[in-house]
Amino acid sequence: MVNMLLAFVVAFGVSALSGLFIIPMLRKFKMKQMILEVGPKWHMSKQGTPMMGGLMFILGTGVACTVFGLMSGRREWLYIFVYAALNAVIGLLDDIAKVKRKANKGLSVLQKLFLQLAFSSAYIAVLHQYAGLTTGLKLPFFGTSIELPWIVFLILGVLYNTFIINAVNLTDGIDGLCTGTTLPIAALFAVVAMADRVPELGIYPAALLGGLLGFLVYNFHPAKVFMGDTGSLFIGGSVVGMAYAFDWPLVLLICALFFILEAVSVVLQVGYFKLTHGKRIFKMTPIHHHFEMSGWSEIKLFTVFTVGTGLLCLLAFFGIN
């Protein structure tokens, strides 16, 4: 419990203080966000804002986990962090490619998917082999699980992880939105670790929570820095990484619902557009842009997504305990 609290404090401190030199460094190397012309017109004022600020909470989470995770005697924190960091590398390559091309397009979809599928396969296999991950999918609220053959569990898990990670990535579209939506999820897993009396498992979510709050100091509207794909893919990897490390992957269907809605809105929009030869369901997707173009402010969106996810996490807690 004490180590969880200290991990939170250290991650917050490192993340917040690192902004004092990381943001100027990003400006120096001209790591600036390019804004899509097809997006909301008022977003053009954000052109040139430093991106790759996700390095701040990655550093904060990493330092806190290394110090207090090593003291815990368990290795789950290391598996989650390595998995999340590998996804962050994909984002880093994507962000660098965007800067070099001076466009809002980096790696190809196939390149990203190949790496994400490979890393997810390795992560699930490692947890199964070394951390006691079962092949049973526990059902929240029902107190039972669906047992699956290993290969089926692996394939479904890889596809599931990849979907959630990219859903998180899609949520990173306005100031603080992805950060705020993740905070209650990290808090949920920290509380579950305490409730189940395995605080060692709570080191990672506690550190992630602190790191994200430290980053939010700079990322809240009006944002002084964006997390970039470096940060959003790290968060996506962290979210699914924690769910599998706690052996509760299906709980994300509840607590990560806002992330899922973002991805589903894109799928529906694209599919409907093609079927109807140009008609749209939403004004713009991901769906946070639909609400934004309907008059919602960025602060209202941040509040609704964060508080809404908090309520879903409360529901999820009772569903798994």
Side-chain angles (χ1 to χ4, degrees):
M1 178 70 176
V2 174
N3 283 348
M4 285 178 60
L5 180 60
L6 290 174
F8 168 82
V9 172
V10 169
F12 175 84
V14 171
S15 180
L17 291 174
S18 67
L20 299 178
F21 63 87
I22 287 180
I23 294 175
M25 180 187 69
L26 294 173
R27 289 199 184 100
K28 179 181 178 180
F29 289 101
K30 298 181 179 180
M31 305 303 293
K32 298 178 180 179
Q33 180 69 44
M34 304 299 293
I35 304 297
L36 280 172
E37 293 182 1
V38 296
K41 301 302 180 185
W42 51 91
H43 278 211
M44 295 306 294
S45 63
K46 301 182 181 186
Q47 184 92 1
T49 302
M51 66 174 182
M52 291 174 55
L55 293 171
M56 294 160 56
F57 57 77
I58 293 173
L59 179 63
T61 303
V63 169
C65 280
T66 300
V67 173
F68 299 102
L70 288 173
M71 294 171 59
S72 73
R74 299 187 68 135
R75 293 178 292 182
E76 286 87 352
W77 68 270
L78 179 60
Y79 300 145
I80 304 171
F81 182 76
V82 170
Y83 177 55
L86 287 172
N87 279 281
V89 169
I90 300 173
L92 180 67
L93 294 173
D94 193 48
D95 286 336
I96 292 173
K98 289 175 183 176
V99 172
K100 285 185 175 181
R101 296 174 183 173
K102 295 183 179 180
N104 201 24
K105 185 178 180 181
L107 299 179
S108 70
V109 173
L110 287 179
Q111 288 173 324
K112 287 182 184 177
L113 283 177
F114 175 79
L115 292 172
Q116 289 173 344
L117 293 171
F119 294 155
S120 289
S121 299
Y123 178 65
I124 293 174
V126 166
L127 285 186
H128 180 63
Q129 183 69 28
Y130 300 106
L133 176 66
T134 67
T135 59
L137 292 176
K138 297 178 183 176
L139 301 177
F141 298 105
F142 289 94
T144 186
S145 63
I146 302 173
E147 295 297 327
L148 299 173
W150 162 243
I151 190 63
V152 175
F153 179 83
L154 177 63
I155 292 172
L156 290 178
V158 168
L159 295 175
Y160 182 68
N161 282 14
T162 302
F163 174 79
I164 297 293
I165 289 171
N166 285 296
V168 173
N169 181 238
L170 288 169
T171 309
D172 181 33
I174 65 170
D175 298 354
L177 190 64
C178 187
T179 310
T181 309
T182 309
L183 292 175
I185 298 175
L188 168 66
F189 286 110
V191 171
V192 168
M194 290 187 291
D196 290 347
R197 297 178 182 176
V198 281
E200 300 86 355
L201 269 178
I203 296 295
Y204 190 90
L208 179 65
L209 183 62
L212 289 174
L213 282 172
F215 175 68
L216 192 60
V217 172
Y218 305 93
N219 188 231
F220 189 74
H221 183 74
K224 299 178 182 66
V225 65
F226 299 142
M227 66 175 65
D229 282 2
T230 304
S232 60
L233 292 183
F234 178 86
I235 290 176
S238 295
V239 168
V240 295
M242 290 186 296
Y244 272 85
F246 278 73
D247 204 5
W248 272 106
L250 291 186
V251 77
L252 295 181
L253 295 177
I254 303 172
C255 64
L257 183 60
F258 277 83
F259 288 138
I260 294 170
L261 290 176
E262 292 275 49
V264 170
S265 71
V266 173
V267 173
L268 290 175
Q269 183 88 321
V270 172
Y272 189 74
F273 185 87
K274 290 182 177 179
L275 285 173
T276 60
H277 305 289
K279 292 183 180 179
R280 291 176 171 84
I281 301 174
F282 308 103
K283 293 180 180 180
M284 187 178 179
T285 56
I287 200 168
H288 63 260
H289 284 318
H290 170 82
F291 292 125
E292 192 179 11
M293 296 182 79
S294 298
W296 288 31
S297 69
E298 294 195 41
I299 293 178
K300 181 177 180 179
L301 275 164
F302 171 87
T303 303
V304 170
F305 274 54
T306 303
V307 174
T309 300
L311 294 174
L312 289 170
C313 285
L314 182 62
L315 177 65
F317 177 77
F318 289 110
I320 62 181
N321 280 279

